[in-house]
């Protein structure tokens, strides 16, 4: 099983992905994880990840607390199913991709920069994996 954190669009600040990369690195201790920028017109997400659970971040998506999020990750792990997380660009998600998501997830009802959303999502992935492993980090 592998977790993918994809995002659309380049960060405005070259250092803005640093925190997200740190949490992806920490999460990689527990599971293979990858974070990278994609361009929808040049990347076939659905062809590349045919069996993966696709969780797309969207302000109108389902809100979830950390425990429920860890259960989502844990279920995918039990099913030995990859999970693809996608954060849209400044225009959001590609309209034709939204209906193909297995889950639309909202990190917050508040608007935040996409770089910050990456860091929050990466931290929640790390938190979920530590919760599932009984690590003291999430206390």
């Amino acid at each position: 099983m592998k977790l993918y954190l994809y995002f659309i669009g380049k960060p405005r600040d070259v250092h803005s992905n640093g925190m997200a990369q740190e949490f992806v690195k920490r999460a990689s201790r527990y599971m293979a994880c990858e974070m990278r920028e994609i361009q929808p017109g040049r990347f076939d997400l659905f062809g590349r990840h045919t069996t993966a659970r696709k969780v797309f971040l969207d302000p109108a998506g389902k809100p979830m607390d950390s425990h429920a999020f860890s259960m989502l990750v844990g279920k995918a792990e039990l099913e030995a199913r990859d999970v693809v997380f996608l954060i849209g660009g400044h225009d959001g998600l590609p309209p034709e991709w939204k209906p193909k998501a297995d889950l639309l997830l909202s990190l917050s009802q508040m608007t935040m920069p996409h770089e910050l959303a990456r860091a929050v999502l990466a931290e929640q992935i790390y938190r979920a994996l530590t919760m599932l492993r009984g690590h003291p980090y999430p206390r």
Side-chain angles (χ1 to χ4, degrees), residues 71-137:
M71 294 296 99
L72 172 100
V73 173
K75 183 179 180 201
E77 190 173 26
L78 284 174
E79 295 171 349
R81 191 173 177 194
D82 290 347
V83 182
V84 172
F85 294 98
L86 175 66
I87 299 173
H90 64 276
D91 292 327
L93 297 168
E96 65 277 7
W97 286 19
K98 251 187 188 184
K100 296 179 183 179
D102 294 309
L103 174 67
L104 291 176
L105 175 68
S106 173
L107 287 180
S108 172
Q109 291 182 342
M110 294 183 196
T111 303
M112 66 179 80
H114 295 233
E115 295 88 356
L116 182 56
R118 287 178 213 149
V120 171
L121 178 59
E123 191 279 337
Q124 286 299 302
I125 290 169
Y126 175 64
R127 180 176 295 275
L129 291 170
T130 59
M131 289 172 77
L132 292 167
R133 304 300 190 281
H135 188 277
Y137 172 78

Side-chain angles (χ1 to χ4, degrees), residues 5-13 16-17 35-41 43 86-94 97 113-116 118:
L5 194 166
Y6 292 141
F7 58 91
I8 299 170
K10 295 193 181 305
R12 291 180 191 155
D13 178 348
S16 64
N17 274 344
M35 181 178 84
R36 65 181 264 207
E37 176 193 357
I38 63 169
Q39 296 177 7
F43 187 83
L86 175 66
I87 299 173
H90 64 276
D91 292 327
L93 297 168
W97 286 19
H114 295 233
E115 295 88 356
L116 182 56
R118 287 178 213 149

Side-chain angles (χ1 to χ4, degrees), residues 17-84:
N17 274 344
M19 188 176 286
Q21 288 170 335
E22 175 61 27
F23 281 115
V24 167
K25 179 181 157 188
R26 290 181 191 186
S28 294
R29 296 177 197 154
Y30 301 103
M31 180 178 297
C33 297
E34 177 183 322
M35 181 178 84
R36 65 181 264 207
E37 176 193 357
I38 63 169
Q39 296 177 7
R42 302 172 128 194
F43 187 83
D44 183 8
L45 180 86
F46 303 97
R48 178 174 252 184
H49 299 287
T50 54
T51 61
R53 181 164 175 90
K54 293 157 193 76
V55 180
F56 297 171
L57 274 65
D58 187 83
K62 178 181 179 179
M64 199 175 278
D65 65 14
S66 295
H67 177 73
F69 185 79
S70 71
M71 294 296 99
L72 172 100
V73 173
K75 183 179 180 201
E77 190 173 26
L78 284 174
E79 295 171 349
R81 191 173 177 194
D82 290 347
V83 182
V84 172

